[in-house]
Amino acid sequence: RCTQLAVEDPCATSNETGVDALILESSEYKWNPERTSFVIDFDLVCSTGGEVTLVSSIFFIGALCGLIVGGYLFDSFGRKPSALLGVVLSIIITFVGFFCNSYAFLLGIRFIQGFGLFIIGTGMY
């Protein structure tokens, strides 16, 4: 578990007692519905294995695949159907991402998001 000391939130406001809100205190998190992220949701605050950067890396791996497949789709089926496929895929997978409950599922969602968004980007050029 995380053994870091309590870290003060620079954006936190003081409560009634005048004590600033703490983000983490010996691996216990104070969840704030206004300020949350996948790092807090999936308990990656103290991760040292690269799990946080893997989320954005997976997005760009999906983007690379989307560029390659997008070029084929635009050449074979035309701009409008291919761009529509990318838009629909991006909208659906973003909606599915609201229900993401595990880190592995998050990685899959990010890959498909990159894939769909860069299919759309391929047709711009």
Side-chain angles (χ1 to χ4, degrees):
R1 296 294 288 165
C2 181
T3 57
Q4 292 182 359
L5 298 175
V7 177
E8 289 189 25
D9 183 359
C11 299
T13 58
S14 298
N15 60 16
E16 299 82 37
T17 61
V19 178
D20 289 336
L22 298 176
I23 292 180
L24 78 115
E25 184 174 344
S26 64
S27 79
E28 295 298 322
Y29 309 115
K30 180 178 180 179
W31 184 74
N32 183 352
E34 296 173 2
R35 296 194 62 220
T36 186
S37 69
F38 72 90
V39 174
I40 293 172
D41 290 343
F42 298 116
D43 196 25
L44 301 174
V45 173
C46 295
S47 73
T48 57
E51 290 92 355
V52 176
T53 56
L54 183 61
V55 174
S56 60
S57 298
I58 288 291
F59 176 84
F60 287 108
I61 292 170
L64 176 65
C65 295
L67 285 171
I68 294 169
V69 171
Y72 172 75
L73 289 175
F74 280 100
D75 287 343
S76 299
F77 302 106
R79 284 183 179 223
K80 192 172 184 178
S82 301
L84 188 60
L85 172 70
V87 168
V88 169
L89 182 64
S90 297
I91 290 171
I92 290 172
I93 204 65
T94 301
F95 179 73
V96 171
F98 287 127
F99 305 105
C100 184
N101 58 4
S102 72
Y103 180 71
F105 189 48
L106 175 67
L107 293 178
I109 293 288
R110 293 296 290 169
F111 179 85
I112 298 171
Q113 279 179 332
F115 186 83
L117 288 173
F118 277 77
I119 285 177
I120 301 166
T122 305
M124 292 183 192
Y125 298 105

